[in-house]
Amino acid sequence: MITPVLPTYARAKVAFDRGEGARVFTPEGEAYLDFGAGVAVTSCGHAHPHLVEALTDQAKKIWHTSNLYQMPGQEKLAQRLIENSFANTVFFTNSGAEALECAIKMARKHQSATGHPERCRLITFEGAFHGRTLATIAAGGQAKYLEGFGPKVEGFDQAPFGDHEALKAAIGPETAGILIEPVQGEGGIRPVPPQCLRGLRALCDEHGLLLIFDEVQTGVGRTGKLFAHEWAGVTPDIMAIAKGIGGGFPIGACLATEKAAVGMTAGTHGSTFGGNPLATAVANAVLDVILAEGFLAGVQQRALTLKQKLAALKDSHPAIIEDIRGQGLMMGIKCKAPNTALQAAALDQRLLTIGAGDNVVRLLPPLIVTDADIAEAMDKLDRACKALEATA
């Protein structure tokens, strides 16, 4: 039976109509601790006063003009991203998938504009997730997302995760670049070791390829630095971000060096809504929070607390938890029991988590999470694990 909303989601039987900080509330007033953050989106938590003020102030002025006209808020946001990253230029979108589409087009266009139109293929990695458009599901290469949608979009060659020799063998005369998440999110919270990211940079430089990072989930403070690749001391040529940059308002961006963006001239790409005044007002407010002195250091400190407490939880429940993995406030619980069972048990304890591949439960709390919130979340997970052990 068809539903008013297309039934493409397996939704939990709970709804929320209010949020504050790291908590959301049902219409009946029940509080849930949110360690999913809308899949790493609500970076500043729910109803952050500074974000609310920025949105309401802008809403009283102008909502939309389209990119046919100058937009001061968009230019301000672009300049701030440039000043705090490797990039020289930014294109704004409404989502992560759109930011990746721009990155894919930019890589191909760069090669064409620099005399190599045959270089139109990107190497991606097993377990990757880059979005739900036809091109991004092809880039991710996961059969469950490709099934039933006809011919797979051409232009993507997948390499095994962590196999450097197989990656080198995949490079051919049509290769334009390499696309990778510094930490695989949907793939099961699998960090790419810093030395591997440095190896990718060297490989791209050696072969004249573009290095593209998908930081849609890892970016904007999630790992304790503004962007996850900073931990490895490398820079990409192109990077896609979204999720946390809007704090809950839909916005994404494709950042690039001047060299990588050489082919993206007037008329080659566009977006009706991308980077509109409402979106960029909120995103600028998010950066106010995250770039404030000491904020990212605080994320790193709370991330260490979370990691230590998760390690203790694993030791207490060896029949349920196989491993703890991740970086910053992007942690994964590799389960022995089905990850869906642990998610459901956590939901019974009023704790929101997110599933992932490789039988992993993701913990993605808002970056403003407190030590007290972390302690409460661990108590809830402890009770959830005990409930699973009792039924086993």
Side-chain angles (χ1 to χ4, degrees):
M1 179 179 174
I2 196 67
T3 56
V5 177
L6 195 69
T8 56
Y9 299 103
R11 300 178 192 265
K13 295 185 183 300
V14 63
F16 307 107
D17 68 351
R18 184 172 67 86
E20 183 178 341
R23 284 165 181 77
V24 289
F25 301 85
T26 68
E28 297 75 30
E30 290 182 304
Y32 285 68
L33 188 56
D34 186 0
F35 265 50
V39 196
V41 167
T42 51
S43 49
C44 299
H46 299 278
H48 191 289
H50 186 57
L51 273 63
V52 171
E53 181 182 12
L55 179 61
T56 52
D57 284 352
Q58 185 60 49
K60 296 172 187 174
K61 297 175 183 176
I62 190 166
W63 290 24
H64 180 75
T65 61
S66 91
N67 285 292
L68 296 174
Y69 309 102
Q70 303 290 319
M71 283 195 270
Q74 186 183 102
E75 292 168 12
K76 176 184 176 182
L77 179 59
Q79 188 59 43
R80 295 176 78 184
L81 289 170
I82 289 166
E83 289 171 357
N84 289 279
S85 75
F86 69 95
N88 305 118
T89 189
V90 183
F91 181 89
F92 290 106
T93 67
N94 310 286
S95 67
E98 290 172 87
L100 264 299
E101 287 276 346
C102 179
I104 293 165
K105 290 178 69 175
M106 184 181 290
R108 292 181 173 189
K109 194 70 169 177
H110 164 86
Q111 296 291 4
S112 177
T114 55
H116 300 283
E118 74 285 357
R119 291 188 173 185
C120 60
R121 305 186 70 85
L122 294 179
I123 296 173
T124 61
F125 295 86
E126 170 267 325
F129 181 85
H130 298 297
R132 297 279 194 160
T133 67
L134 287 173
T136 53
I137 61 173
Q142 296 193 44
K144 63 181 178 180
Y145 298 128
L146 288 162
E147 184 181 356
F149 292 110
K152 178 182 172 183
V153 172
E154 267 294 304
F156 302 98
D157 301 304
Q158 198 161 74
F161 185 85
D163 189 334
H164 196 67
E165 293 306 312
L167 169 62
K168 288 196 290 186
I171 297 173
E174 296 182 353
T175 305
I178 297 172
L179 169 60
I180 193 168
E181 303 157 272
V183 182
Q184 283 193 348
E186 301 284 339
I189 309 295
R190 299 197 293 180
V192 180
Q195 65 270 24
C196 291
L197 290 180
R198 291 193 286 269
L200 290 179
R201 179 69 274 174
L203 201 60
C204 286
D205 292 342
E206 178 186 351
H207 292 275
L209 310 179
L210 295 178
L211 180 58
I212 308 166
F213 286 157
D214 176 347
E215 291 234 26
V216 168
Q217 192 166 147
T218 58
V220 198
R222 177 55 53 188
T223 66
K225 289 188 181 291
L226 189 59
F227 302 113
H229 66 262
E230 294 176 38
W231 291 105
V234 301
T235 55
D237 301 293
I238 304 171
M239 178 175 68
I241 65 171
K243 291 187 182 289
I245 187 62
F249 199 99
I251 184 172
C254 180
L255 287 68
T257 64
E258 181 178 7
K259 179 181 177 182
V262 66
M264 302 301 281
T265 54
T268 55
H269 198 49
S271 172
T272 298
F273 293 105
N276 81 5
L278 283 174
T280 53
V282 177
N284 271 306
V286 168
L287 287 186
D288 290 342
V289 174
I290 291 176
L291 294 177
E293 186 175 356
F295 183 85
L296 289 174
V299 170
Q300 293 175 29
Q301 178 268 316
R302 293 188 294 278
L304 180 60
T305 298
L306 176 60
K307 187 173 185 178
Q308 290 170 339
K309 289 186 177 294
L310 283 170
L313 189 75
K314 172 182 176 291
D315 292 341
S316 298
H317 302 284
I320 305 297
I321 299 174
E322 179 179 327
D323 193 21
I324 301 297
R325 57 174 71 157
Q327 188 174 11
L329 292 177
M330 185 179 181
M331 298 301 296
I333 302 172
K334 166 75 169 172
C335 299
K336 291 183 179 178
N339 64 343
T340 51
L342 182 56
Q343 277 187 271
L347 188 65
D348 288 342
Q349 298 297 327
R350 305 295 188 263
L351 176 68
L352 304 184
T353 62
I354 306 291
D358 200 26
N359 203 35
V360 165
V361 172
R362 275 180 284 181
L363 301 179
L364 304 164
L367 305 183
I368 51 83
V369 71
T370 65
D371 286 340
D373 294 332
I374 292 171
E376 181 181 341
M378 294 305 103
D379 286 342
K380 291 176 182 291
L381 280 172
D382 181 54
R383 291 196 293 272
C385 288
K386 287 176 179 176
L388 291 182
E389 289 163 348
T391 57

